[in-house]
Amino acid sequence: MTTLRNAYLDALGIDRWVPRNAPVETAPEIEPPRVIETAPAMPAARAPQVPSFVPPPPVATWDELRGRVAACTACDLCKTRTQTVFGVGNTSAEWLVIGEAPGADEDRQGEPFVGRAGQLLNAMLLAIGLPRETVFIANILKCRPPGNRDPKPEEVSRCLPFLSNQIALLRPKIILAVGRIAAQNLLATDAPLARLRGKLHTFGEANTPLVITYHPAYLLRTPADKRKAWEDLKFARATYARITGGANAPGNG
Ligand code: URA
């Protein structure tokens, strides 16, 4: 596992951390929670709601939700998509990773984060001990915006109920939002990502801890910020350890 993790840290372009008095696999320093900011239960999209649109009531099973998403025609993205991209992973996962929207590869394959950004996301997750298949990965939007443009507020407002339903079914212990679009929509804010990362937020009525980091596609373009992303990932891991009383929590060695 150590060798594997080192390989992924190398992929991230991050110097390996070696603790002084602990085995290599022990987590780096535990950081106490910084600021805690709470997001609304499921914020309305920041744009005005479209009055004629009534979101469907939440459903109680993953299969039903999958069917709903696959059949969705609530916005014009249904006209240009190849298929919907529901999300992937372990439906008992304790970690939920939320990105922005499918790109061309995801639209073709029907699975989130399968392109180059997905490879880096896998590396980021594995660097904190999370093989891709152990988490659940979803996006703010279930359909690809043409040309990978930013999601429109109306698209977000029509799609967010699906993510809300996914969160209600999954009941994750922690959410990791990657990128500005995911962060701003989950927190219903226009604040820049630089102001949102580096602190602990909570999400929804369950006050689920929410950590923000950079989008892997951004990190591919801006490798200098990988160091900050690594700090965010360690912060997320320490937060998870603290709330679950895990091996990396303070007082547990
Ligand atoms: N970028 C995202 O935000 N989500 C994907 O699924 C792929 C790329």
Side-chain angles (χ1 to χ4, degrees), residues 5 22 46 103 107 150 197 229:
R5 197 179 82 169
R46 283 167 293 126
D107 175 69
D150 282 358
R197 62 168 291 275

Side-chain angles (χ1 to χ4, degrees), residues 99-103 106 112-113 139 215:
E100 176 179 332
E106 292 75 21
F113 285 103
N139 281 313
H215 195 286

Side-chain angles (χ1 to χ4, degrees), residues 85-140:
V85 179
F86 178 78
V88 72
N90 180 351
T91 53
S92 304
E94 296 185 334
W95 286 72
L96 172 61
V97 179
I98 301 178
E100 176 179 332
D105 294 321
E106 292 75 21
D107 175 69
R108 215 169 14 249
Q109 296 185 40
E111 181 172 328
F113 285 103
V114 291
R116 274 187 73 222
Q119 298 302 310
L120 182 54
L121 179 66
N122 294 348
M124 292 164 70
L125 293 172
L126 201 56
I128 52 166
L130 295 170
R132 177 182 171 95
E133 60 277 10
T134 64
V135 306
F136 195 87
I137 304 174
N139 281 313
I140 297 286

